[in-house]
Amino acid sequence: MHPTGEQFDLVSGPTRAVVTEVGAGLRALDVDGRARVETFDVSEAPPMGAGGVLVPWPNRIAGGAFSWRGREYHLEVTEAARGNAIHGLLRRRPWTVVERAEDSVRLAADVDAASGWPGPLHVETTYTVSPTGLAVTHALTNTGDGDVPAGVGTHPYVRAGDAAPADCTLTVAADRVVDTDEHMIPTGVRAVTPDEDLREGRRVGDLALDTCFGADPGADGTLGVLTAPDGRATALWGDASFRWVMVFTPDDLGGRGRAVAVEPMTCPADAANSGTDLHVVAPGETWTVRWGIRDAEPAGAGPSGEAR
């Protein structure tokens, strides 16, 4: 058995993706044979969260503790160095196949009350490839009888083909930045300074970021674009629920060298305590969010991952 379980190959024209059973993660995506995300070998565990689905919260919860509707909740501290619960509950669990086609797969997993989260959520994640990229839908259904808080994030490391990420230019549609303490827990949100502003693009090799930004995307929902020196580009988009984006530029991604993660999130770190953009799912309600990755070269490509 591979560390990430069964592998699901999706194909549509020149686009190929590989989705994993464990964590419902994105292990590979290429268009015309050019990588759009960092991949890893099937014999490996995902390095530094690569491709993970972060539910029912993205990023961190301070001390793994929070209160909801007057009750205290305690989660496993999974980031021991900083004393936080990080990246949700489902990225290391096997998911179940609900529906499978040549160009898509829908996987499901459940968050139960025994996990330390307030109430049950049934989560379904659908990956669909098209000739121009990938679209991902997350649907969270409250199967209990009380309100349940929730957030969604993902952890793709983007690539622009075979260009070294350090030599590429990163553009991020964000006008605010989140300040944090030594535990990476937010202390405030403010406007970006000129040195922090990525809206005009910066060379990845000149960046050292593990930083959350407040998103300010355009009409097509583009959150970030990675552009190779020859002009080839990969864009990451999200729907209106993705109001935050984490940018992480590790010097070495599991022996692969410099990398850049552009992580769409519906809420910032520690939203379970601050309440910032924390979504409340009512009993019987399904909350659906969408994001994706597309080749940024074709003119008029929109948030569906298909050319308009």
Side-chain angles (χ1 to χ4, degrees):
M1 176 66 72
H2 304 306
T4 52
E6 187 175 354
Q7 310 291 297
F8 305 103
D9 287 275
L10 312 180
V11 179
S12 177
T15 303
R16 172 182 173 269
V18 180
V19 175
T20 66
E21 173 193 14
V22 174
L26 178 64
R27 190 171 71 82
L29 174 66
D30 58 70
V31 180
D32 287 321
R34 297 183 307 215
R36 296 309 185 197
V37 298
E38 295 281 0
T39 189
F40 53 93
D41 192 80
V42 70
S43 65
E44 298 178 83
M48 295 187 178
V53 175
L54 317 179
V55 176
W57 77 88
N59 212 291
R60 296 164 172 88
I61 295 177
F66 65 100
S67 62
W68 176 254
R69 299 294 197 255
R71 179 180 170 184
E72 297 294 321
Y73 290 87
H74 296 274
L75 300 157
E76 180 183 359
V77 172
T78 48
E79 188 187 35
R82 295 190 174 107
N84 301 314
I86 189 169
H87 290 339
L89 297 168
L90 300 180
R91 64 193 177 109
R92 293 189 174 96
R93 295 186 191 175
W95 292 49
T96 301
V97 177
V98 176
E99 190 173 14
R100 180 78 168 90
E102 183 180 18
D103 62 353
S104 67
V105 64
R106 179 156 52 106
L107 301 167
D110 289 283
V111 174
D112 57 49
S115 66
W117 198 252
L121 289 169
H122 178 72
V123 184
E124 295 192 355
T125 293
T126 304
Y127 290 88
T128 304
V129 293
S130 73
T132 54
L134 170 77
V136 188
T137 301
H138 306 282
L140 282 64
T141 301
N142 181 346
T143 57
D145 55 9
D147 291 344
V148 178
V152 176
T154 65
H155 208 303
Y157 289 83
V158 292
R159 286 198 70 110
D162 58 4
D167 296 330
C168 294
T169 298
L170 176 66
T171 304
V172 178
D175 58 0
R176 293 158 293 143
V177 64
V178 178
D179 289 323
T180 61
D181 63 17
E182 66 273 19
H183 302 288
M184 294 291 289
I185 298 303
T187 58
V189 182
R190 56 176 173 77
V192 294
T193 66
D195 288 342
E196 297 165 327
D197 196 341
L198 300 178
R199 286 173 290 186
E200 298 301 320
R202 297 275 299 279
R203 181 177 175 272
V204 171
D206 297 330
L207 301 173
L209 297 173
D210 193 356
T211 306
C212 182
F213 293 91
D216 183 30
D220 67 353
T222 298
L223 295 169
V225 179
L226 188 70
T227 304
D230 66 3
R232 292 175 298 169
T234 300
L236 185 146
W237 57 267
D239 69 17
S241 292
F242 287 102
R243 300 184 176 98
W244 306 87
V245 59
M246 193 82 179
V247 181
F248 179 40
T249 57
D251 289 330
D252 185 27
L253 181 68
R256 294 161 181 80
R258 193 65 181 268
V260 55
V262 182
E263 310 166 36
M265 305 187 302
T266 62
C267 57
D270 208 33
N273 282 301
S274 69
T276 303
D277 284 337
L278 187 66
H279 190 84
V280 178
V281 189
E285 178 190 0
T286 297
W287 177 42
T288 302
V289 299
R290 299 180 73 244
W291 67 280
I293 296 171
R294 60 177 174 83
D295 190 327
E297 294 170 334
S304 67
E306 300 178 350
R308 287 190 184 133

